[in-house]
Amino acid sequence: MIDENETQAVSVLQGQVKWFDPTKGFGFVVAEEGGPDILLHANVLRNFGQSSVADGAGIEISVQETTRGMQAVEVLAIDPPDPIEGEGLEDLGLPLDLSEAGPMEPARVKWFDKAKGFGFANVFGRPEDVFIHVEVLRRSGLADLQPGEAICLRASDGKRGCMAVLVTAWDAVITDAPE
């Protein structure tokens, strides 16, 4: 007899984030191969080093079938969603070529208001704040930022001063560093 709380083996699959709400603490992923939606809990995402993920982002996850359905148990990779037609960073005066941006730097979110579409971060060792636009966040694969959250970013001078062109999880400098 199988215990109803018993879980099945873990498998790895590719999919796309259907939606994720950091306030609710969960969201769902649709697998490339189809099937039922897969629960993505905020704790699983936090273990990957992020507090949010953009709708439409590509995602590689380890999943497990439980009595309550399919659930992600580990995030292995996240790819930003494709840019939405008509939403350009050119209007902000940001370079689309990252070779024009500064190096990856550790920072802490000062505040971010998703409804307003922007916020600011403090880069360690810099006196000025760095402007973060919601579209840069989305193109970086994130949906929202929380005050005090540790992040890494690459910045460039734009129309509004120092502006982020890429935002990643705080440990990206360590995990992306060449060996």
Side-chain angles (χ1 to χ4, degrees):
M1 184 169 159
I2 297 176
D3 181 347
E4 73 177 78
N5 292 323
E6 189 174 316
T7 56
Q8 302 296 317
V10 174
S11 59
V12 174
L13 58 81
Q14 305 284 327
Q16 187 174 35
V17 176
K18 185 174 184 177
W19 62 267
F20 185 85
D21 186 334
T23 305
K24 291 181 178 179
F26 69 93
F28 289 93
V29 172
V30 177
E32 282 181 356
E33 63 219 26
D37 289 353
I38 301 157
L39 176 69
L40 175 60
H41 194 273
N43 288 338
V44 174
L45 193 55
R46 274 189 219 107
N47 287 340
F48 182 70
Q50 291 185 198
S51 64
S52 69
V53 62
D55 297 349
I59 191 166
E60 181 178 3
I61 52 177
S62 295
V63 298
Q64 195 169 46
E65 187 164 348
T66 70
T67 56
R68 300 178 81 188
M70 296 293 284
Q71 295 184 12
V73 293
E74 183 179 13
V75 174
L76 304 171
I78 295 176
D79 293 319
D82 293 331
I84 296 172
E85 193 67 34
E87 289 188 11
L89 297 178
E90 303 84 13
D91 297 336
L92 297 172
L94 290 173
L96 298 177
D97 182 1
L98 286 179
S99 68
E100 298 176 32
M104 189 70 80
E105 299 177 277
R108 190 157 307 274
V109 177
K110 189 172 184 179
W111 63 269
F112 188 84
D113 188 327
K114 189 174 180 180
K116 290 181 179 178
F118 67 93
F120 292 90
N122 303 115
V123 172
F124 300 115
R126 273 199 199 189
E128 76 274 9
D129 291 339
V130 177
F131 177 83
I132 303 174
H133 191 273
V134 70
E135 181 59 16
V136 169
L137 203 61
R138 195 184 81 72
R139 289 184 185 204
S140 298
L142 300 167
D144 203 356
L145 296 172
Q146 302 303 312
E149 184 175 349
I151 58 172
C152 283
L153 57 80
R154 292 184 69 184
S156 183
D157 288 328
K159 291 180 181 178
R160 299 177 183 166
C162 190
M163 302 173 72
V165 295
L166 177 69
V167 179
T168 65
W170 70 272
D171 60 350
V173 173
I174 297 167
T175 58
D176 293 344
E179 293 182 23

